[in-house]
Amino acid sequence: MKLGDSLRGIVRKIAKSSKIDKYFVEEMVRDIQRALLQADVNVRHVMQLSKNLKERALSEDLHPRLNPREHVIKVLYDEIVDIIGKGVEIPLSKQKIMLVGLQGSGKTTTVAKLAKYFKNKNLKTAVICADTFRPGAYDQLSQLVGEHGIGFYGEKREKDAIKIVKNGLKALKDYEVIIADTAGRHALEEDLIKEMIDLEKVFQPDYKFLVLDAAIGQLASKQAKAFHDAIGISGIIITKFDGTAKGGGSLSASKETSIPIAFIGTGERIDDLEKFDPERFVSRLLGMGDLKSLLEKAEEVFAEEDLDPKALLKGKFTLKDMYKQMEAMNKMGPINKIFDMLPFGFNFDVKDDMFETTQEKMAKFKVIMDSMTDEELENPKIINTSRIHRIARGSGTSPQEVKELLKYHRTMKNVMKSLKSGKIPFKKLAKKFGM
Ligand SMILES: Nc1nc2c(ncn2[C@@H]2O[C@H](COP(=O)(O)OP(=O)(O)O)[C@@H](O)[C@H]2O)c(=O)[nH]1
Ligand SMILES: [Mg+2]
């Protein structure tokens, strides 16, 4: 994400600076202003943050465990956490959730993502299609949740959303979590408001989430207020965070309206949904890493795969381990997103595409590994040129492809090693910051 890129650049500059003085702070504040304004953060917030940064960076007493550079990073971290909205804890229990928002904001996609989120937490989850306005809404939602073991209720030809919800509640009474998708319009017009209010009365949701497209930037604030006034919103879900440079606008809109942010959508896939936690979010944004989220996510996936979660960080890391891990990683989503969660100073000398664990690549790796001996799988170091040729012949691949597999393994092994050895500044920083 663009905001993240510029902020990480600034943090790196601070970390490398030889001296933190007035000139340095002024330049830094200018850099930060540019980054935040480009991300469409409200100028008022940017000015307040600049003022606080200038005051605190040099005058404030240093924390006994921090050096001046770390102090400035910590101040920056605090101030950014302060201008974005708070999170909200959604219990993992029986509940009903209703999603509202303008057309195209990402409601239907998010209904499916949320349902999968609760389903992954072992709650019996179903969705209701109460969008009778948009043709194809029924098919879209039933397809999205189709293969994921999520219940679905809809009535393809019924035009009365209230009736559908009433029937849906009866049909789905054995489910623990029920999420309703509702119709959107191009603007918040009277008929939409009326429908939302009627639906709310019948459905009686525990949570009403407003789905906001991150690309609307600062307009998010106005939209959130309007929906809040109409039906009372319990939380915001910001979507399409992956595709915009303006994400800062919706993040600070939450602070302005005091409506917390519940989740963030970061892609089109059903798993591209993150629970929002401002502190974690900002530490990732600043490149300080988020090993906590990473491990949590790994744990979820590894549980599904029946693997030891800590295996990511320990062990000899043989080719067999790598394969298992690739399978798990595949479920966690694109690997470059995972690396976004890792701290700065964690430099890999590799391109993103090297980490693409496509099904195709996995299949090829598997074929190659089938032609290796157990000894080679346990200790890939012994694989010399003549072995490479033998393996390539045996698997019907090219020596080039065998080398690619070995290179991938070496890189992953290095990643594991640095994670294990704690070479990462984050751990130190995190401890110092009391995170
Ligand atoms: N890149 C990206 N696309 C998204 C995200 N959420 C939704 N979309 C896309 O946005 C478009 C509109 O989504 P939809 O759920 O139909 O919106 P609705 O009209 O509010 O129900 C679809 O093409 C989705 O794939 C997201 O977090 N990231
Ligand atoms: Mg929809």
Side-chain angles (χ1 to χ4, degrees):
M1 202 221 333
K2 190 127 183 319
L3 176 61
D5 290 343
S6 20
L7 289 176
R8 276 192 288 278
I10 295 168
V11 169
R12 242 176 256 130
K13 221 157 138 184
I14 301 172
K16 279 196 302 206
S17 68
S18 52
K19 193 169 161 222
I20 305 276
D21 56 14
K22 202 173 120 226
Y23 302 102
F24 180 86
V25 170
E26 265 166 21
E27 192 190 312
M28 174 191 80
V29 167
R30 272 196 303 275
D31 286 347
I32 288 162
Q33 286 176 343
R34 203 174 308 124
L36 294 178
L37 290 173
Q38 269 171 7
D40 220 29
V41 175
N42 184 312
V43 67
R44 215 163 16 88
H45 293 319
V46 176
M47 288 307 146
Q48 186 62 48
L49 178 139
S50 308
K51 188 166 160 273
N52 297 352
L53 266 182
K54 277 187 200 159
E55 277 172 21
R56 294 183 56 195
L58 292 172
S59 63
E60 205 168 83
D61 282 344
L62 292 188
H63 189 285
R65 278 183 302 179
L66 298 183
N67 68 35
R69 278 177 232 101
E70 290 164 344
H71 170 78
V72 174
I73 295 174
K74 162 78 169 139
V75 169
L76 177 61
Y77 166 85
D78 288 347
E79 293 296 331
I80 294 186
V81 168
D82 197 56
I83 60 168
I84 68 177
K86 295 213 171 357
V88 54
E89 203 52 48
I90 311 298
L92 294 173
S93 54
K94 197 173 158 75
Q95 61 189 303
K96 285 176 285 179
I97 298 172
M98 171 172 159
L99 262 60
V100 299
L102 297 187
Q103 178 130 346
S105 57
K107 284 180 303 301
T108 306
T109 314
T110 308
V111 166
K113 287 179 179 180
L114 262 185
K116 175 93 190 305
Y117 171 86
F118 287 111
K119 161 93 202 332
N120 283 353
K121 311 276 183 195
N122 291 320
L123 286 156
K124 205 172 170 219
T125 304
V127 301
I128 300 181
C129 172
D131 177 358
T132 53
F133 185 78
R134 182 175 176 170
Y138 176 102
D139 291 331
Q140 188 193 4
L141 185 59
S142 69
Q143 274 162 22
L144 281 171
V145 299
E147 356 148 357
H148 297 283
I150 296 160
F152 172 81
Y153 187 85
E155 293 175 35
K156 206 163 181 172
R157 262 163 272 284
E158 178 57 61
K159 283 287 156 213
D160 182 355
I162 306 291
K163 213 162 140 189
I164 296 176
V165 167
K166 273 186 188 156
N167 293 339
L169 283 174
K170 270 185 224 135
L172 300 172
K173 62 178 184 323
D174 291 337
Y175 283 84
E176 291 165 292
V177 178
I178 303 176
I179 307 169
D181 186 19
T182 64
R185 308 282 197 272
H186 294 295
L188 188 61
E189 289 150 1
E190 239 163 76
D191 57 338
L192 176 60
I193 296 177
K194 183 169 180 319
E195 188 181 279
M196 285 189 313
I197 293 173
D198 290 347
L199 277 176
E200 194 206 355
K201 276 193 198 128
V202 176
F203 188 52
Q204 302 211 336
D206 301 282
Y207 289 93
K208 286 165 276 177
F209 291 139
L210 170 64
V211 179
L212 282 177
D213 182 335
I216 64 171
Q218 284 184 46
L219 287 175
S221 192
K222 208 172 133 216
Q223 219 181 90
K225 272 193 202 108
F227 273 91
H228 192 54
D229 289 346
I231 60 158
I233 298 295
S234 15
I236 294 172
I237 299 179
I238 305 174
T239 60
K240 309 186 202 177
F241 216 79
D242 49 307
T244 176
K246 289 190 181 177
S250 45
L251 288 171
S252 56
S254 152
K255 161 110 178 166
E256 271 159 47
T257 55
S258 305
I259 306 170
I261 302 169
F263 293 91
I264 291 198
T266 55
E268 291 189 44
R269 299 172 10 154
I270 194 157
D271 287 315
D272 295 333
L273 182 77
E274 294 175 12
K275 204 169 130 226
F276 182 72
D277 173 329
E279 294 184 350
R280 286 180 181 200
F281 185 82
V282 174
S283 42
R284 242 162 76 194
L285 206 58
L286 294 184
M288 284 149 65
D290 183 1
L291 292 176
K292 218 166 142 197
S293 293
L294 182 64
L295 284 176
E296 256 175 34
K297 187 142 197 185
E299 227 155 290
E300 232 174 65
V301 174
F302 279 82
E304 255 178 61
E305 288 280 303
D306 206 18
L307 284 169
D308 174 6
K310 302 287 183 309
L312 194 76
L313 298 181
K314 70 172 186 220
K316 307 199 292 285
F317 202 67
T318 65
L319 278 167
K320 283 181 191 161
D321 295 331
M322 180 187 84
Y323 190 80
K324 268 196 214 163
Q325 194 191 295
M326 280 173 73
E327 276 182 322
M329 287 284 198
N330 235 357
K331 293 202 169 172
M332 284 169 71
I335 194 108
N336 49 358
K337 272 197 188 165
I338 296 169
F339 283 156
D340 273 355
M341 296 188 202
L342 292 173
F344 70 90
F346 205 47
N347 293 320
F348 302 109
D349 194 18
V350 282
K351 291 189 210 74
D352 271 0
D353 61 356
M354 155 121 209
F355 284 112
E356 249 180 58
T357 55
T358 56
Q359 295 295 345
E360 208 184 324
K361 194 158 163 179
M362 299 260 308
K364 188 155 275 169
F365 279 8
K366 189 153 175 39
V367 172
I368 295 174
M369 285 167 62
D370 282 342
S371 286
M372 292 182 182
T373 63
D374 266 348
E375 197 191 358
E376 285 164 348
L377 289 172
E378 285 294 325
N379 185 15
K381 259 202 212 120
I382 62 168
I383 304 178
N384 55 19
T385 313
S386 75
R387 284 182 190 247
I388 287 177
H389 282 270
R390 191 208 79 233
I391 295 164
R393 266 198 312 276
S395 58
T397 57
S398 67
Q400 199 44 45
E401 285 167 320
V402 179
K403 281 185 201 155
E404 194 197 341
L405 168 95
L406 294 172
K407 187 171 165 209
Y408 186 93
H409 171 257
R410 272 197 304 276
T411 312
M412 289 314 282
K413 194 172 172 174
N414 282 336
V415 172
M416 294 307 135
K417 234 187 359 241
S418 357
L419 278 174
K420 217 171 93 185
S421 67
K423 264 187 210 154
I424 309 161
F426 167 74
K427 281 195 177 163
K428 223 169 71 193
L429 279 172
K431 212 189 236 160
K432 284 184 174 178
F433 290 2
M435 292 193 305

